[in-house]
Amino acid sequence: MAIKKLRGTTPGRRFMTGLQYRGVLTRQYPEKSLIEILPKKSGRDTAGHVAMRHQGGRNKRFLRTIDWKRDKFDIEGRVFSIEYDPNRTANIALIHYTDGDKRYIIAPKGLKIGDIIISSDKAEIKTGNSLKLKDIPLGILVHNVELEPKKGAKMLRSAGSSASILSKEGDHVVIKLPSGEVRKVLSEARATIGVVSNEDWRNVVLGKAGRKRHMGIRPTVRGVAQDPRSHPHGGGEGRSGIGLLKGPRTKWGRPAFKKTRNKRKWSEKLIISHRR
């Protein structure tokens, strides 16, 4: 998907860019049977207090129900449309199956209207088809990877993401993630062939603060610009640093940029090489 540059008719639009959806998306409104109301949380808990900062004020949205499990086995489906989903970075595809069922899936790059896809253990190695990892040849790019069989895709669901299959070792398949991490995944878990669509999403320049607010993201104030009661970095005269602190701190006084991953996590033994 190409990036389009907007005319600088206002200061906010001077450097603003967007995605060129014309010729890519084929439908403006979602399938009514596959949507539900997505209530606003605005970062509040059940008491109405702010539980998550920097959230609130986004546009109204419908939640599109995505088929993460791809459990319609050995039934062919035809791509009816490629659509925009405001709840994720990737585009989605509406699939009409031969038995009359309709489902949304994450649209892989190169999927077109009229293409036939299938979820089967004997499926062809083709973009959009879903197979078990043990049945996919080495070197093939995959997305929508399950961590546990029959639990649905958990990894590689965002725009432009994919993993390559490096090797097969017993009950596990070794894959390399976009972060550089090399890990084992159960060979019975399913994955979809191809790369997730809309890879140019990361290159978009929002251009103005209001566009961020429409996405439900409220402003973030730097710690050094606050008063000492509100942030450990606050206080001082003029442009001051973080003071006598031993390294940067979070709003609650804990060390910032500190790795928080639990070394005793159950999946630690499946990671061969950590991310960069």
Side-chain angles (χ1 to χ4, degrees):
M1 188 176 293
I3 297 288
K4 63 179 179 181
K5 194 175 187 314
L6 306 181
R7 293 183 179 180
T9 54
T10 63
R13 291 171 67 91
R14 190 167 307 281
F15 302 105
M16 185 184 294
T17 62
L19 293 169
Q20 182 60 263
Y21 288 117
R22 183 176 298 175
V24 179
L25 303 184
T26 59
R27 192 174 179 179
Q28 188 174 1
Y29 301 103
E31 176 65 32
K32 286 189 176 181
S33 61
L34 296 174
I35 60 175
E36 56 185 89
I37 294 292
L38 181 61
K40 289 185 179 181
K41 297 291 195 301
S42 298
R44 267 64 175 173
D45 57 18
T46 53
H49 300 148
V50 175
M52 181 67 68
R53 299 182 300 157
H54 318 312
Q55 290 188 14
R58 64 170 169 80
N59 283 344
K60 293 181 179 179
R61 298 177 184 173
F62 284 107
L63 179 65
R64 280 79 167 166
T65 304
I66 308 294
D67 179 15
W68 299 115
K69 294 185 178 181
R70 296 292 300 273
D71 52 2
K72 290 191 72 69
F73 302 123
D74 302 319
I75 300 176
E76 289 187 344
R78 183 177 61 86
V79 179
F80 181 76
S81 63
I82 307 293
E83 302 178 20
Y84 170 78
D85 189 349
N87 304 301
R88 63 193 74 256
T89 57
N91 296 327
I92 57 176
L94 179 61
I95 309 299
H96 287 192
Y97 287 95
T98 54
D99 61 354
D101 196 7
K102 298 178 183 179
R103 294 192 182 186
Y104 276 124
I105 66 167
I106 294 294
K109 182 180 178 181
L111 197 69
K112 299 182 181 63
I113 305 300
D115 287 353
I116 303 299
I117 63 171
I118 191 171
S119 178
S120 173
D121 296 341
K122 299 179 181 179
E124 180 186 355
I125 305 301
K126 188 180 72 170
T127 299
N129 284 353
S130 176
L131 302 90
K132 292 181 179 179
L133 283 171
K134 66 178 182 180
D135 298 324
I136 302 176
L138 303 184
I140 299 296
L141 296 178
V142 296
H143 64 280
N144 278 12
V145 178
E146 292 181 325
L147 284 177
E148 299 177 68
K150 301 180 181 180
K151 291 297 181 68
K154 302 296 182 184
M155 295 191 300
L156 304 160
R157 312 193 315 190
S158 61
S161 60
S162 65
S164 59
I165 298 179
L166 301 182
S167 63
K168 300 178 181 181
E169 302 175 0
D171 294 336
H172 292 83
V173 173
V174 179
I175 63 174
K176 185 175 183 179
L177 304 178
S179 62
E181 178 179 300
V182 179
R183 65 170 295 147
K184 295 180 180 179
V185 181
L186 288 171
S187 59
E188 290 292 324
R190 304 192 75 85
T192 306
I193 306 296
V195 181
V196 181
S197 60
N198 203 20
E199 68 277 5
D200 281 329
W201 171 84
R202 66 186 67 190
N203 300 323
V204 170
V205 178
L206 296 181
K208 64 178 184 179
R211 198 168 167 193
K212 199 82 169 179
R213 298 298 295 266
H214 297 157
M215 298 165 66
I217 303 174
R218 297 180 66 235
T220 301
V221 180
R222 293 172 297 124
V224 293
Q226 300 179 32
D227 64 277
R229 278 186 164 185
S230 300
H231 201 284
H233 295 174
E237 296 293 332
R239 294 190 175 182
S240 57
I242 64 175
L244 301 177
L245 297 175
K246 294 181 180 179
R249 290 286 191 261
T250 66
K251 179 180 172 66
W252 300 274
R254 297 173 182 171
F257 310 115
K258 182 180 179 181
K259 293 183 178 180
T260 57
R261 180 179 174 85
N262 187 356
K263 294 182 179 180
R264 294 186 294 273
K265 192 173 182 179
W266 65 271
S267 62
E268 188 69 21
K269 61 180 180 295
L270 298 176
I271 298 176
I272 300 173
S273 174
H274 284 271
R275 63 182 182 178
R276 295 182 293 270

